Amino acid sequence: MRVLIAGSSGLLGNALTARLRADGHEVVRLVRRETRKGDEYSWDPPAGRVGDGAFEGTDAVVNLCGAPLLPARWSAARKQVILDSRVEPTEVLAEAVAEHRIPVLLNASAVGYYGDAGAALLEESAPNGEGFLADLCAAWENATEAAGDARVVRLRTGLVLSGEGGLLGPLKPLFSMALGGKLGDGSQYMPWISEADHVSAVLFALTNENLSGAVNVCGPLPVTNTEFTREFGRVLNRPAPWWVPAPAMKLAIGQAAEEMALASQRAVPRALEDAGFEFQHKTVGEALAAAVS
């Protein structure tokens, strides 16, 4: 396949690009700077401009664009940056998919779509929640509607466990020094997925015509923050006795604490499992061990 990727320089984009090429596929990357290699095309999403020829012969488009949610506090200006960095590229790519009759669009989203849902089991049919992240994900997903007749998969991704960064980047040093601990009361569910399974799920979605619409890209057994903390300590052979009170987190990072660290999303990958996807790492312990090995 010839796959065009936007957001290829990030953690997930790099991993996906490497895997696609290892499997013999051609990868074309959109970059927001002057091109340096033959596989790159420059683009400017706010202006709606994409380099000539970028979509020629393309079999699928994968959009992983999005400004980081942290560490900056969510001021009104920062929220607008976060929103624009997701919705504008999606609109541009969805319109291009329709114009060039590209058959498949895989577009990033997140389990934040469900808001803080407590202990409720969240399959893809669960309703949109409340809050900035829930509204963000809804707008992000709605922007794919311009893709016309293409098969669109909205990748509602959980917390990706990777040895290259992401969630575990700041956590591993703390837990390695026995400074890890639960967040708030620890009852909030964390929908995790290993990096390897995330990449495999995206590849699975590229070629599986039975998958379309929302797809929860997370492991089959979501865990609470208390369980995650215990398992990470076990994998590193370190105690994790500490506790970060919810008020302290809210004081440090404001609304992001409530909607990210303390919000609960017990999401399960029903669409992936129904389509026959097999997870390499079925428990959070397996995923954490793979990430730190």
Side-chain angles (χ1 to χ4, degrees):
M1 299 178 67
R2 186 177 196 261
V3 182
L4 182 146
I5 301 180
S8 63
S9 62
L11 176 70
L12 300 179
N14 272 319
L16 177 61
T17 297
R19 175 71 178 278
L20 282 167
R21 287 176 171 163
D23 288 353
H25 302 292
E26 179 186 358
V27 177
V28 175
R29 300 183 299 129
L30 294 183
V31 297
R32 303 192 201 197
R33 51 168 171 75
E34 292 296 321
T35 58
R36 299 170 187 163
K37 299 179 181 179
D39 66 347
E40 296 179 345
Y41 287 85
S42 62
W43 74 319
D44 182 357
R49 292 197 301 268
V50 183
D52 292 340
F55 297 101
E56 291 181 7
T58 296
D59 297 297
V61 171
V62 180
N63 176 26
L64 301 174
C65 289
L69 296 174
L70 293 173
R73 291 176 71 91
W74 292 352
S75 64
R78 183 60 188 171
K79 285 181 179 179
Q80 193 63 50
V81 169
I82 291 171
L83 177 67
D84 291 344
S85 71
R86 287 161 172 78
V87 174
E88 286 180 347
T90 300
E91 290 174 339
V92 171
L93 291 173
E95 290 171 2
V97 162
E99 178 184 350
H100 295 274
R101 299 184 181 277
I102 297 169
V104 181
L105 170 63
L106 269 56
N107 204 82
S109 184
V111 292
Y113 176 91
Y114 303 112
D116 186 356
L121 203 63
L122 302 173
E123 298 183 358
E124 288 82 358
S125 59
N128 187 207
E130 298 180 352
F132 170 66
L133 286 185
D135 292 344
L136 168 69
C137 291
W140 200 359
E141 294 186 10
N142 289 341
T144 65
E145 293 178 359
D149 295 331
R151 178 171 64 88
V152 176
V153 179
R154 302 175 182 93
L155 304 166
R156 291 181 182 166
T157 298
L159 300 166
V160 179
L161 304 182
S162 168
E164 302 300 318
L167 172 68
L168 299 187
L171 288 187
K172 185 179 177 182
L174 292 174
F175 274 73
S176 296
M177 294 184 290
L179 296 176
K182 69 178 183 180
L183 307 178
D185 66 11
S187 66
Q188 66 273 29
Y189 276 87
M190 300 174 61
W192 56 272
I193 188 168
S194 71
E195 180 184 283
D197 278 334
H198 186 279
V199 171
S200 294
V202 173
L203 291 175
F204 184 79
L206 275 174
T207 57
N208 192 308
E209 295 184 357
N210 293 324
L211 275 180
S212 65
V215 174
N216 288 341
V217 188
C218 50
L221 298 171
V223 295
T224 65
N225 177 256
T226 295
E227 293 166 332
F228 176 90
T229 300
R230 182 174 61 246
E231 279 297 293
F232 200 17
R234 182 189 63 79
V235 166
L236 293 174
N237 197 27
R238 295 288 188 276
W242 302 97
W243 168 54
V244 184
M249 296 192 65
K250 294 175 184 178
L251 182 64
I253 58 175
Q255 186 179 356
E258 296 181 30
E259 297 198 23
M260 294 182 66
L262 301 173
S264 180
Q265 287 120 13
R266 194 181 178 189
V268 291
R270 181 63 59 225
L272 279 174
E273 291 184 322
D274 286 350
F277 181 74
E278 292 286 340
F279 285 89
Q280 180 180 350
H281 304 113
K282 296 183 179 180
T283 69
V284 71
E286 293 172 352
L288 287 167
V292 302
S293 61

